[in-house]
Amino acid sequence: GRVRPYVGGGVGVGTHWLEDNYLPRGNGYDDSGTGLAVQLGGGVRYAVTDRLAIDAGYRMRSITDVSLEGSPALVDHNAQASNIMHSFQLGASYGLNGNIFPEGEDSGDWYVSLFGGAALPNRANHLVDGYAISFDRDAGMSVGAAFGTHIADDLRAEIEVSYQKTTNSTYSPYAGAIYADV
């Protein structure tokens, strides 16, 4: 049929950028680091034509154990960071050399996908110089692209690149006090 529900997951590498100036003394972060990235998701894909499909889906993405190195010049701190992001997104996929939902021997057809939507973050937890710190974050955005192929009936393999951005809304430092993001 023209409607196909799907579930999936993936493992890769993610980069976590943290730029913030949240403490009253002007201390903060201007750091980035890489860590293990994991993604789980599902959704529904609808074939508009033989080659074009639209998609509505959910993704849970996590980047864990990212090391952020402090800079004495910026008066920031060394930190370990992990975060989880929930994305609700819409997308479109185009079959490059055949049907977007190939069957049987046509399973090697390639496609490209573009997607975007809302990113809803969980509380981000960081370990800064041995102290636990939490950040509450506002909703943001998520965009990306994928290139893939059908390796069997109802089984795809793809490479994805995505970008998500949110803003910190509050910061809970060492003793539990809360500062608004500045």
Side-chain angles (χ1 to χ4, degrees), residues 11-19 30-38 61-69 81-85 126 137 141 143 160-166:
V11 176
V13 175
T15 300
H16 182 79
W17 284 280
L18 183 59
E19 297 174 358
D30 187 8
D31 302 316
S32 67
T34 58
L36 175 67
V38 177
R61 294 181 180 99
S62 175
I63 303 175
T64 60
D65 297 329
V66 175
S67 293
L68 303 171
E69 300 298 324
S82 296
N83 70 46
I84 296 175
M85 193 83 62
H126 297 71
R137 296 177 291 164
M141 57 84 130
V143 295
E160 177 183 307
V161 176
S162 61
Y163 174 81
Q164 296 178 327
K165 181 175 174 79
T166 62

Side-chain angles (χ1 to χ4, degrees), residues 38 42 50 55 65 76 107-108 124 128 134 147 174:
V38 177
D50 286 346
D55 178 297
D65 297 329
D76 65 359
S107 63
V128 179
S134 294
F147 178 70
Y174 317 115

Side-chain angles (χ1 to χ4, degrees), residues 1 18 20 47 50 52 57 72 81 85 94 96 116 118 124 154 156 176 178 181:
L18 183 59
D20 208 345
D50 286 346
L52 179 66
M85 193 83 62
Y94 183 77
L96 296 174
D154 298 323
R156 301 179 294 172
I178 296 178
D181 187 37

Side-chain angles (χ1 to χ4, degrees), residues 31-54:
D31 302 316
S32 67
T34 58
L36 175 67
V38 177
Q39 173 177 271
L40 298 172
V44 176
R45 185 175 272 179
Y46 172 76
V48 177
T49 69
D50 286 346
R51 287 190 161 199
L52 179 66
I54 56 174

Side-chain angles (χ1 to χ4, degrees), residues 126-150:
H126 297 71
L127 186 62
V128 179
D129 294 332
Y131 297 94
I133 294 180
S134 294
F135 293 91
D136 287 323
R137 296 177 291 164
D138 294 329
M141 57 84 130
S142 176
V143 295
F147 178 70
T149 186
H150 296 87

